[in-house]
Amino acid sequence: MHLLRGAAGKARPRLLARCAMSAVARPPEVVVTKENGLGRLTLARSKQLNALAAEHVEQLQQQLLAWADAASGVKAVLLDSDNERSFCSGGDVKAARQAVLDSPYPDSPPAGHHIHTVFQAEYSTLLLIASYKLPFVSCCQGIWMGLGFGIAGFGRFRVVSDGTIFAMPENAIGLWPDVGFAFKAAHMPGHLGLFLGLSGVRLSSAADLLFTGIATHYIPEDQLQAFKQQLSQNPEALEPLLQQYSTVPPDAPGPLQRLQPVVDKHLGQLVSVYRQAGCDELEALHTVLQGLQQELPAVHASDHQAAHLLQNAISSWAYGSPRSLAITLQHFTRVHDALQGSSAAAAAAAGSSADLSTLAGVMHAEYNMAVRQVAHEDFLEGVRAALVDKDRRPAWLAETGHPHLSTAAAAAALPEDQTEVCLPGNRFSLQQLFEMLGGKDHRHHLLL
C-alpha cells in the first residue's frame, strides 16, 4: 500500500483510480445469452469491426458444443453482431503475422506454435457449424468478410439485410480466400465463385448474395429487429418466422447476376487454359484480366451498376498477390473438379489424403495450406501494407525479380541475394503448399 501514498502518507487519487480501473473486468467481446430456449451469440468488438482472434473463435465453439447437449434446453441458435456496421470483418491477421515474426519457421509450424491454434480454432468451428444439429441462423449486417464467412457461411440459415457488404479479400493480404469458400464457390452458378475468389470484389447487392447461395434470406433492415424479438420469444418457430419476415430484395436481379455472361466467358477461358499442360498461371490470369478490362465499355453502355462492379473487381484483382491468385486458381479449380467427379481432379489429388468433394476434406487440405502460407513473405508483406503501415503498397515477391510461379521449384531455390528481403518469411513453392504435412495428421483437430 505504501506505493500508493505520497510523502505524507496520503493516498494518491490518480494511482488509486488507475488501479480501480484495471481491476474492472473488460466487457465481454462475445456476448452469450439464453432466453426462452434461444441461444444467442453476439459479437461485440465493434472497434475492431468484429475481427476475431483465436480466443473468440474458441469461445464460440465451446458454447456451441455446450448448447448441442439436449440438457441445455436450447432449441435454436442466433449468431449476430452488436452493431449494424460490421457482422465480422475476418480473423485477426495482424496477430497471426506477429506470431510468425516472433517465431519463424521454414515450412510447417512446429508443434505448439500459435498458428496451429489459430487455424484449428477457425476450421474446426466452421465444421462444427456446418454439421450443427440445432437450427442455426446468422444475421449478417454490415461488413461480412473472411472468417466472418467461415463462422456463418455453412450455417443452416444466413440472413442479409440492407447495408450488408460481403467480400473475400484475402488475396490482398497474400493469403487466399480460405475458410471453405472454394467449396461454396463450386456450388455457385457458372464461374461466379471463381470470379469472387480471384477478385475479392465487394458485393452489396442482397439479390446477388441470394443468387450465389452465400445468403439464404433477405430481411429488410426495418424488420430485422422485429424478427429477432419474435425469435427470442419462440425459437422453435425459426423457419416460419424466416418465411414471414423475408422477402425478395428490391434490386433483383443483382448486378453480379446480370454480369454473369461476361464473367463466364472469360473465366471459362481461364479454366480451360489452366488445365492445359505447361500453363503459366500468371500469364493466364493477366490475359483474363485484360479481357475483362476490354469488356468495360460495352458493359457500361448497357448497365452502369454492372460496369461499376466489374471495374471494382478488376481493380481489386490487380492489387492482389500474384502468388495468392495462382493459389486461388489452382485450389478453386481442384475443388470444383472434385465435386464434378472429373478425371482432372483425380490426377490433381494423387498422393493427397484430402477428399476435396467434401467440406471436411477441403478444410483438411486448407489447414495444410494455411499454416504454410501465413509464413510466406507475401502474407507478411500484405498484412504490413494493408493493416500495419497502411501504405497499401505491397512489394509482392513475384514482382521483385522472381520467376513466374509456374516454375515454383526454381523460385524456391533462388538465392537470397537476388532480391532485397526485409521479412523472415519462407519461399516454398506452390507445389509444396498443396502437399499434405509430412508425417502429421491434424484431422482430429478439425473434427473430421
Side-chain angles (χ1 to χ4, degrees), residues 171 177 181-182 184-186 188-200 263 266-268 270-272 274 285 288 317 325-333 336:
N171 288 331
F181 190 67
K184 179 68 72 175
M188 293 182 191
H191 293 286
L192 294 183
L194 179 59
F195 176 74
L196 293 177
L198 288 169
S199 68
V263 170
H266 291 276
L267 273 293
L270 172 63
V271 173
S272 296
Y274 165 71
L285 287 162
V288 169
W317 182 328
L325 293 169
I327 293 170
T328 302
L329 175 59
Q330 289 192 30
H331 182 53
F332 278 47
T333 303
H336 178 274

Side-chain angles (χ1 to χ4, degrees), residues 385-405:
L387 299 172
V388 179
D389 297 333
K390 300 181 181 180
D391 57 31
R392 290 191 59 81
R393 298 181 61 185
W396 302 125
L397 194 60
E399 297 176 342
T400 55
H402 286 263
H404 278 182
L405 295 179

Side-chain angles (χ1 to χ4, degrees), residues 179-319:
V179 290
F181 190 67
F183 190 82
K184 179 68 72 175
H187 291 85
M188 293 182 191
H191 293 286
L192 294 183
L194 179 59
F195 176 74
L196 293 177
L198 288 169
S199 68
V201 68
R202 296 188 175 192
L203 291 183
S204 57
S205 164
D208 281 333
L209 292 171
L210 292 177
F211 179 67
T212 55
I214 294 170
T216 60
H217 295 81
Y218 162 76
I219 297 179
E221 189 171 13
D222 60 3
Q223 294 292 307
L224 197 55
Q225 291 305 316
F227 163 73
K228 292 182 183 181
Q229 183 177 7
Q230 290 291 315
L231 182 61
S232 67
Q233 297 301 315
N234 187 9
E236 292 181 287
L238 171 56
E239 292 192 53
L241 287 171
L242 284 170
Q243 293 177 359
Q244 175 184 342
Y245 282 94
S246 64
T247 185
V248 176
D251 64 336
L256 180 64
Q257 183 176 354
R258 304 196 300 269
L259 191 62
Q260 185 181 349
V262 172
V263 170
D264 285 351
K265 171 186 172 182
H266 291 276
L267 273 293
Q269 292 173 355
L270 172 63
V271 173
S272 296
V273 171
Y274 165 71
R275 290 191 174 119
Q276 297 175 8
C279 167
D280 187 318
E281 294 98 329
L282 291 188
E283 184 175 339
L285 287 162
H286 180 67
T287 299
V288 169
L289 199 57
Q290 286 183 317
L292 292 173
Q293 183 76 47
Q294 292 168 2
E295 296 277 2
L296 265 176
V299 175
H300 189 271
S302 60
D303 190 333
H304 287 189
Q305 277 191 323
H308 182 69
L309 177 68
L310 180 57
Q311 180 62 73
N312 288 341
I314 291 170
S315 298
S316 54
W317 182 328
Y319 177 87

Side-chain angles (χ1 to χ4, degrees), residues 12 29 83 99 140 153 180 201 206 211 280 350 417:
R12 297 180 182 175
E29 296 184 317
N83 68 92
C140 307
V201 68
F211 179 67
D280 187 318
D417 58 5

Side-chain angles (χ1 to χ4, degrees), residues 57-142:
V57 182
E58 289 174 339
Q59 184 180 353
L60 292 176
Q61 182 180 129
Q62 292 166 6
Q63 193 60 62
L64 289 172
L65 288 171
W67 283 342
D69 188 334
S72 70
V74 171
K75 304 300 181 184
V77 174
L78 167 64
L79 175 64
D80 67 352
S81 164
D82 70 345
N83 68 92
E84 298 176 357
R85 184 185 177 194
S86 178
F87 168 65
C88 177
S89 62
D92 191 348
V93 293
K94 288 175 64 176
R97 176 183 186 268
Q98 192 60 50
V100 173
L101 293 176
D102 290 343
S103 183
Y105 48 90
D107 180 15
S108 56
H113 198 289
H114 180 65
I115 290 301
H116 283 303
T117 302
V118 170
F119 288 105
Q120 286 164 8
E122 292 183 5
Y123 293 0
S124 61
T125 301
L126 181 158
L127 290 171
L128 172 64
I129 291 171
S131 61
Y132 206 57
K133 294 182 179 180
L134 292 175
F136 186 98
V137 58
S138 301
C139 289
C140 307
Q141 282 185 286

